[in-house]
Amino acid sequence: MSAKRYGMSIDIDKCTGCGACMVACAVENNVPPAPEGANDRKGITWIRVFRIANGAGKTAFVPVLCQQCGANTPCVSVCPQQAVQVDPATGIVGQMPERCLGCRYCMAACPYHARYFNWWDPEWPAGMEKTLNPAVAPRMRGVVEKCNFCHGRWHAAKARAAAQGRRDIDPADYVPACVEACPTGAIQFCELSARPDGPGGFRLLEKLGTDPKIYYHSQRDWVREIAAAPGGKEKARG
Amino acid sequence: MKTTRRDLFKFAAGGAAGLLLTPAPWRLVTDTALWSENWPGIPRPVRGELRTRFTHCTLCPAGCPVKARCVGDQPIALAGLPGRPLCAFGLSGHQLPYHADRVTEGDIETVRTLVSKRAATESVAVLDLRPGRTASWTYRRAMAALPRGIYLAPQSAVPAVNLDAVKTILSLGVPVLDGWGTPAKVLAARPHFRLIQAEPMESHTAMLADEWLQLRPGSEQALAEALAGQGGGERTGLSAEQIGSVARQLAQGGALVLATQESPAVIELNHRVGAYGQTIVARREAAVPPSWRPAAPTTALDALPDRSIGVLLIDESAADVYLPWTALESKLAAHAFVVTFASSRAGYGRYARLTLPAPVFPESSDDCVPAVDSLAATFRLAVPLVTPPRGVASPTQFIAKLANLPASNALRERADAIHAVGRGTLQQYADSRVVSIKTIKRDEFWKGLNEGGSWTDDAGGKMPPLEPLPSAPAVVAMSREMRAARGPMPPLVSKLYRESNLRVRT
């Protein structure tokens, strides 16, 4: 099977902040509902839609997930347990919760704040455990988790390809849950054979040199300025 | 060579250091983690054969098609169809039956006896919060059969909105971009219309609107009156220039005024801007069996005398527009008996004498009303994906039994009536096939509907005329506050409300 380099292209101008991607992601990856005491810092949302405003009555929504850094991946280099690895076959930064010790170095190292710690045992209301996705194991308290581009779906697509005697998976078979759920088509999943730059394209904190594989697009100047934080954010707030 | 105690210590230390260079301790760490991952507190997902089933969502009147991924008979994930995605609520709707706040117990037989006894001497009213369904016809037939039955609905008629003709929308607090209409259709049409949101708080729709008018709380009707030339603009807190600007935009044609409650001012304004016949159009209703026709008419709450309802039965299992409790209360007799069929006590359950547990999506067997943005009549079944727990009462069957009507086959009877007319097409989601119902037999039509098919009437043909003023229908939609108050949300929606700053809390 030839090596891939999967990534996403997110059009901020199309995002309406409906949150369908967040909920679809949680359903697909067996992320539990918020326990008592969970808030926007302790909750687990592999993909989180942030609302940004320019202070002049304009609002935009920015979905932020693991940026799947392709170079100098910060979380990989700090993990003492080798619980984070970049899959050479897909370019996806994988998190192995069974190896994780819960030291949270990776969370401190991640410049995108896209990693989440299980502060509580995962709990579902009685009976709801029947709705869990069998392709994804629930994680226990004390480990870190993050977006892995719905790795369960990748495995399923790979198994389907193998059953049909193909070496490469059909791109239509492997679509992450957030992409499938997005009602406006703002999130697109693709193999990055080339940088999907269009007009107004940028990557978050590109200057850090981590080669993120999530490409954002916006025609609005103030959105791009905020994305170039921190200087841009100050400027955008006026 | 004599072995000393020092040698033993050296051997132990060397052995310990050497052990670190072997995989054993690392394997132990991994295994410990694996054991802890599988400890009894962590639920294990059920494995089994994966199947795909189709149904329609009944969480809102849009009735979006649902593709359910199931393990055996248990849905584990819901998704929309290509080009027709689900909203955040619909995506996690399969978890609703397990909500911790769900009402699951109620003494149905005792309530039935009490209601039957009082129905002989007192007036019985049914409040249907989603009129236009087959269940609504059952209620109307049941109320016609009772000596003093009244059928209440929040709206006298539900018109259709022609989104293709809309150029400007003035929304008086309606969440146009947050659950109104069919989300996919509204978002597809969004680039072609200008949205003016008049609302006191910066709601999700207000954020995304082209213009947000921050008016004083409760002054939406005053704005409608001011725009209709009836004065009162000062009550809104908006300047005369702002109101004038909105009036000019509405006068440019293709205008539509949406409100959260039916009011003469909104009807008058829509009439003035030429919405009736252009952006608000009539829609034919799907056929019903001729034997259903002697049905009770829809009674507006205002038309009832005060203290006139002895027994009030509320179907809250499918709720779109709530009537204020204060308005209902004034129509109740001194010792009125109020029963609500709901999945939680968050709505009318706070005031009713009793709350009987009702099925929730995806347990309920119901049909979907045509979405407000559908120009043609539709007939779509919400096929149950899971079995409701014991003790859950179907409001349709309860009310039908009260009037000795057979309710269990009402959906089949209506499907047969639609088939008998022979108009329209059936779309099958499994293979995207669209067939004319003239080419299929009655049983095939019913089977197709139960497999998640959707019948759509022919768009052409003779449409019923819109009612003249002042009884012309207004396009009424649920406001954000009503939406939040109607009952428990799927638990995973906590990702939106508590674990992010995405939604403003009400």
Side-chain angles (χ1 to χ4, degrees):
Chain A
M1 194 170 79
S2 58
K4 309 278 187 207
R5 190 167 169 267
Y6 289 113
M8 279 186 187
S9 167
I10 299 178
D11 190 337
I12 295 175
D13 296 344
K14 282 188 182 173
C15 180
T16 63
C18 68
C21 52
M22 291 169 63
V23 174
C25 168
V27 170
E28 175 70 22
N29 294 294
N30 294 339
V31 176
E36 288 298 320
N39 53 27
D40 59 345
R41 298 190 63 179
K42 291 188 172 178
I44 298 177
T45 47
W46 288 13
I47 177 169
R48 179 176 294 180
V49 182
F50 287 90
R51 177 190 162 198
I52 58 172
N54 69 347
K58 295 293 174 193
T59 302
F61 297 95
V62 186
V64 176
L65 61 163
C66 172
Q67 304 288 303
Q68 310 290 348
C69 302
N72 309 314
T73 314
C75 51
V76 173
S77 57
V78 298
C79 181
Q81 276 292 96
Q82 294 187 325
V84 192
Q85 284 180 351
V86 181
D87 183 354
T90 59
I92 296 171
V93 181
Q95 174 79 24
M96 282 147 279
E98 61 272 19
R99 287 189 192 168
C100 178
L101 284 179
C103 68
R104 288 176 278 146
Y105 280 1
C106 54
M107 290 176 68
C110 177
Y112 303 102
H113 295 223
R115 301 182 139 266
Y116 299 91
F117 186 66
N118 281 273
W119 292 94
W120 296 274
D121 284 325
E123 281 185 21
W124 285 264
M128 203 186 288
E129 67 279 352
K130 286 188 287 188
T131 67
L132 295 181
N133 179 5
V136 180
R139 284 71 57 192
M140 63 288 216
R141 177 181 59 188
V143 301
V144 173
E145 60 186 68
K146 68 161 198 85
C147 166
N148 53 21
F149 279 171
C150 292
H151 215 52
R153 291 191 176 204
W154 182 74
H155 278 292
K158 208 168 66 163
R160 202 170 297 133
Q164 293 169 358
R166 287 183 281 115
R167 290 178 66 82
D168 285 324
I169 63 173
D170 182 350
D173 281 348
Y174 177 36
V175 180
C178 56
V179 178
E180 185 183 63
C182 183
T184 60
I187 310 177
Q188 298 290 331
F189 183 67
C190 51
E191 194 198 337
L192 300 175
S193 46
R195 180 178 165 138
D197 264 350
F202 61 90
R203 293 186 287 181
L204 295 183
L205 301 179
E206 200 164 1
K207 61 189 174 187
L208 296 180
T210 55
D211 187 24
K213 292 198 272 292
I214 311 291
Y215 290 81
Y216 292 87
H217 299 270
S218 177
Q219 301 290 336
R220 291 174 281 186
D221 291 340
W222 67 270
V223 171
R224 293 198 300 275
E225 284 171 7
I226 286 183
K233 195 184 285 183
E234 301 301 319
K235 195 175 171 185
R237 281 179 180 159
Chain B
M1 193 178 93
K2 187 182 175 187
T3 305
T4 63
R5 198 173 66 159
R6 178 180 291 270
D7 292 331
L8 285 174
F9 281 133
K10 283 161 81 174
F11 177 76
L19 193 65
L20 290 176
L21 301 176
T22 70
W26 312 111
R27 186 69 236 173
L28 193 62
V29 167
T30 301
D31 287 351
T32 308
L34 284 170
W35 295 332
S36 63
E37 190 188 31
N38 292 324
W39 71 300
I42 306 290
R44 290 188 186 190
V46 179
R47 293 178 186 278
E49 186 195 355
L50 282 174
R51 297 169 54 201
T52 301
R53 294 165 71 190
F54 294 90
T55 185
H56 290 94
C57 178
T58 54
L59 291 176
C60 83
C64 297
V66 172
K67 181 177 150 190
R69 203 165 76 214
C70 304
V71 172
D73 287 331
Q74 176 65 45
I76 57 160
L78 306 184
L81 300 179
R84 301 168 79 178
L86 292 181
C87 66
F89 305 135
L91 285 165
S92 49
H94 62 300
Q95 298 181 337
L96 263 180
Y98 313 104
H99 199 288
D101 292 342
R102 184 174 180 194
V103 179
T104 53
E105 290 179 359
D107 193 347
I108 298 161
E109 288 311 316
T110 306
V111 175
R112 196 193 307 277
T113 310
L114 277 170
V115 171
S116 301
K117 203 179 287 180
R118 294 184 69 154
T121 54
E122 297 176 56
S123 62
V124 179
V126 171
L127 174 57
D128 182 7
L129 298 174
R130 185 176 290 173
R133 297 172 292 157
T134 299
S136 309
W137 274 97
T138 305
Y139 298 152
R140 291 175 59 189
R141 289 159 60 208
M143 291 303 101
L146 290 179
R148 296 169 67 188
I150 303 163
Y151 174 74
L152 288 171
Q155 270 183 283
S156 50
V158 183
V161 166
N162 184 2
L163 273 178
D164 293 335
V166 171
K167 293 194 178 105
T168 307
I169 294 182
L170 170 64
S171 156
L172 303 174
V174 173
V176 176
L177 302 178
D178 199 15
W180 176 78
T182 309
K185 281 190 192 172
V186 175
L187 291 171
R190 178 72 185 95
H192 310 297
F193 66 80
R194 182 172 166 76
L195 176 62
I196 305 168
Q197 184 75 4
E199 199 171 8
M201 62 189 290
E202 192 182 20
S203 67
H204 201 77
T205 297
M207 284 178 212
L208 297 165
D210 296 302
E211 188 177 345
W212 170 40
L213 300 176
Q214 191 177 13
L215 38 66
R216 289 195 187 123
S219 65
E220 288 87 349
Q221 299 308 315
L223 176 62
E225 286 167 15
L227 289 167
Q230 297 165 4
E234 66 283 352
R235 280 184 285 152
T236 62
L238 301 174
S239 67
E241 289 76 27
Q242 282 177 299
I243 295 174
S245 164
V246 175
R248 280 192 296 279
Q249 292 180 60
L250 293 179
Q252 287 172 0
L256 171 69
V257 182
L258 299 174
T260 55
Q261 51 183 298
E262 212 168 38
S263 83
V266 174
I267 292 172
E268 173 64 24
L269 182 56
N270 268 319
H271 176 64
R272 283 189 175 228
V273 299
Y276 290 109
Q278 189 186 12
T279 56
I280 302 175
V281 292
R283 178 176 47 221
R284 216 163 22 202
E285 191 180 13
V288 294
S291 60
W292 290 10
R293 280 298 170 184
T298 304
T299 307
L301 192 62
D302 295 342
L304 281 179
D306 284 353
R307 311 283 166 211
S308 59
I309 300 176
V311 177
L312 177 62
L313 305 172
I314 307 174
D315 178 6
E316 226 179 318
S317 63
D320 296 334
V321 179
Y322 274 75
L323 295 172
W325 176 251
T326 47
L328 278 173
E329 198 176 23
S330 64
K331 308 296 177 189
L332 298 176
H335 300 288
F337 190 63
V338 181
V339 180
T340 182
F341 295 83
S343 60
S344 85
R345 293 190 175 86
Y348 290 123
R350 289 172 291 174
Y351 313 106
R353 181 84 63 86
L354 285 167
T355 302
L356 288 183
V360 295
F361 174 78
E363 294 169 351
S364 45
S365 179
D366 205 350
D367 63 331
C368 305
V369 294
V372 70
D373 44 36
S374 172
L375 298 177
T378 55
F379 189 66
R380 302 162 294 173
L381 296 184
V383 185
L385 296 176
V386 289
T387 312
R390 290 179 66 188
V392 165
S394 159
T396 322
Q397 290 188 5
F398 183 97
I399 292 166
K401 202 168 175 184
L402 203 64
N404 296 319
L405 290 178
S408 54
N409 56 353
L411 289 170
R412 174 71 203 249
E413 284 176 20
R414 193 165 193 194
D416 290 348
I418 291 168
H419 184 268
V421 174
R423 203 174 55 217
T425 52
L426 175 72
Q427 183 185 7
Q428 295 282 49
Y429 298 136
D431 52 9
S432 304
R433 203 160 48 98
V434 179
V435 292
S436 166
I437 64 167
K438 283 180 189 163
T439 61
I440 52 175
K441 291 180 182 163
R442 199 172 62 174
D443 287 343
E444 287 172 331
F445 181 54
W446 176 245
K447 185 168 175 275
L449 288 170
N450 276 285
E451 287 172 354
S454 164
W455 171 80
T456 307
D457 197 359
D458 290 337
K462 191 182 172 190
M463 289 290 169
L466 274 167
E467 293 175 53
L469 288 174
S471 54
V475 182
V476 175
M478 181 184 276
S479 69
R480 288 183 61 256
E481 290 76 13
M482 291 169 182
R483 197 171 285 272
R486 70 175 171 171
M489 291 289 179
L492 275 184
V493 175
S494 61
K495 304 289 164 206
L496 308 185
Y497 287 98
R498 287 175 55 190
E499 300 177 58
S500 76
N501 64 348
L502 201 56
R503 303 279 174 126
V504 182
R505 291 170 197 219
T506 50

